[in-house]
Every structure is written in C-alpha cells, then in structure tokens.
Amino acid sequence: MFTLNRTTITEYVNFCNDIQHFCLENNVDDMEALRQYLGLEKIILIGSSYGGMVALSYAIKYPQNVSHLIVIATTASSRFLQRAQEILAQRGNPEQKAISLKLWAGNFENEEQLRQFFKIMNPMYCQSNNRKTNSPDSDQTILSVDAINIAFSGFLRNYNILNELPKITSPTLVIAGRHDWICPPEFSEEIAQAIPNAHLKIFENSGHLIRVDEPQLLLDEIINFLTISI
C-alpha cells in the first residue's frame, strides 16, 4: 500500500486497474489510501456482500479510522461457500444449479456469461420482482469477470476473519436478509455476536439483495442507526 498524493494519482489508478493486484488485502489498503487522499479522519463505512467483507477487514486493520460500521448481507468466513451450495441444492432449479458451477469454479468466460448467471439466479437473490437498475443483471451494472473469477477460485476459499472481529471498536450495524441464499443470516448472526455491542437486523422479506427487496426499510434502518449512534 502507498499513500496517495496528486503526483501519484495516475500511478495509483493504473495499479488499481491491473487485475493481478485484486485481493481482499489490497482492497482494504486501497480504501485506506483513498481515505488519506481525500483528507478524511474517521469514516462511516458501509459494505454489502463482498463489500461487507472488505468493510469488516478494514475495520479490523484500521479500527481507529472508523466511526461507524454497517455491513449488509455478508460473512466473516469461507464457510458461506459450502452453505450456499447446500441451500442451492434445496431451493434451486436445474438451470440455476448448472450455471452456478461456473461461480464455484471461478471460470466465467466473459461478461455476457456472468450477466446471464445473474439473470438466471435472480429469483435466488431477490424475493421481489422489482428488478431495476440496481440489480446485478441490469445492463447498467458494471461487472468484472476477472474479479469474480479470482475471488471464487482463489482467496475467498481461505477467507476467515471471524476470530479477529472483536478488534472492531466502532458502533456496528449488521444487516441480513432472511431468505439470503449466498450469505444466509446465520453468518450475520455470528458477526453480530463477535463484534462488541453490535446490533443485528434481519429483514424478513428480503433475499441477498435487500436494496431491491426492501429499499426504503433498509434506508430507514441505516438512518436510524446513524442518528442514534452519532
């Protein structure tokens, strides 16, 4: 990790665009470099799904820089991979089970194939049919085949920060969707139990994409948490 200043911004952008550097540790240090570059002190950190893993890892490594932490539909260990496959075996249809093999192996061939995955899997990700521009299969969503392949075929298989969660010192809100198939609420429960004074909220009518299923309730919960905590 290097500290950003105006003379190194081009070098930093080129570094971020090089997919060989994509890993959880570099994502965390990228965030810290950005915080420094923007001249921020303590930050409110919000992360969903993989972004939640980055947020948790950042709050563990740089607890002094986080004023509030909000993690949504995420997990603290690689155990979610096996559990998600078990849930898919129970709930999924043959087409969903077949295309998910590419996710577990991390071998999507192109962006169109990845977008097709999200279209087929949408009923697993969402409880509602409210598929607007914030759904992964939307044409306006930017997808990275290389990033998802590297994550699922590599470092996510060894991911485990559960024992480090007590290092987090900021007020923390942990949010889960009751019907989430890939980061089921049991993993949010263990996150909330491990972080001192964390608050757990489970959305009963949501899957993994709470922002699609219950967007206003999600926003209200976040605002309420920040209002009370600040």
Side-chain angles (χ1 to χ4, degrees):
M1 192 272 290
F2 53 88
T3 302
L4 282 177
N5 55 51
R6 294 186 183 279
T7 63
T8 62
I9 188 65
T10 300
E11 178 185 356
Y12 180 66
V13 169
N14 290 336
F15 174 84
C16 291
N17 287 335
D18 189 345
I19 196 63
Q20 69 175 320
H21 296 295
F22 183 78
C23 66
L24 182 61
E25 291 79 6
N26 282 341
N27 291 159
V28 169
D29 284 344
D30 288 346
M31 188 182 302
E32 173 57 13
L34 180 61
R35 185 195 67 84
Q36 292 183 27
Y37 177 71
L38 295 175
L40 303 176
E41 295 184 359
K42 288 194 173 187
I43 57 177
I44 297 173
L45 198 52
I46 302 178
S48 176
S49 194
Y50 175 69
M53 302 180 204
V54 177
L56 288 169
S57 300
Y58 181 94
I60 289 169
K61 187 171 183 178
Y62 301 105
Q64 71 281 5
N65 296 336
V66 181
S67 67
H68 296 78
L69 174 64
I70 302 168
V71 290
I72 305 167
T74 193
T75 176
S77 82
S78 62
R79 290 184 295 109
F80 82 99
L81 294 169
Q82 180 61 39
R83 185 71 182 109
Q85 292 177 59
E86 294 170 354
I87 293 173
L88 182 60
Q90 296 168 357
R91 303 182 195 168
N93 61 41
E95 188 179 21
Q96 291 168 336
K97 294 174 184 177
I99 199 167
S100 291
L101 294 177
K102 293 190 173 296
L103 180 67
W104 312 132
N107 62 2
F108 287 104
E109 297 171 9
N110 50 55
E111 183 177 322
E112 181 54 37
Q113 198 174 75
L114 180 56
R115 200 173 300 279
Q116 183 66 14
F117 164 81
F118 284 116
K119 287 181 179 179
I120 292 172
M121 294 298 294
N122 185 73
M124 293 290 295
Y125 278 98
C126 303
Q127 293 296 293
S128 72
N129 293 318
N130 184 26
R131 292 167 54 221
K132 297 183 179 179
T133 56
N134 53 1
S135 294
D137 61 330
S138 165
D139 292 337
Q140 298 184 35
T141 301
I142 299 174
L143 301 175
S144 172
V145 174
D146 290 334
I148 201 165
N149 283 345
I150 289 172
F152 277 87
S153 68
F155 64 85
L156 284 185
R157 297 182 179 185
N158 301 310
Y159 166 68
N160 190 345
I161 58 171
L162 187 58
N163 292 335
E164 299 181 85
L165 292 178
K167 296 179 182 178
I168 296 175
T169 58
S170 58
T172 300
L173 174 62
V174 183
I175 296 175
R178 176 63 70 190
H179 307 283
D180 191 342
W181 78 279
I182 196 162
C183 292
E186 62 203 68
F187 295 110
S188 290
E189 291 170 356
E190 69 178 12
I191 290 171
Q193 290 171 1
I195 299 175
N197 301 316
H199 174 68
L200 173 67
K201 172 65 177 181
I202 297 179
F203 284 76
E204 298 296 335
N205 298 310
S206 287
H208 187 66
L209 297 181
I210 303 171
R211 69 178 188 270
V212 175
D213 287 331
E214 300 181 89
Q216 189 57 53
L217 290 177
L218 175 62
L219 182 60
D220 291 345
E221 186 69 26
I222 292 173
I223 292 174
N224 183 61
F225 168 72
L226 294 175
T227 301
I228 293 175
S229 301
I230 293 178

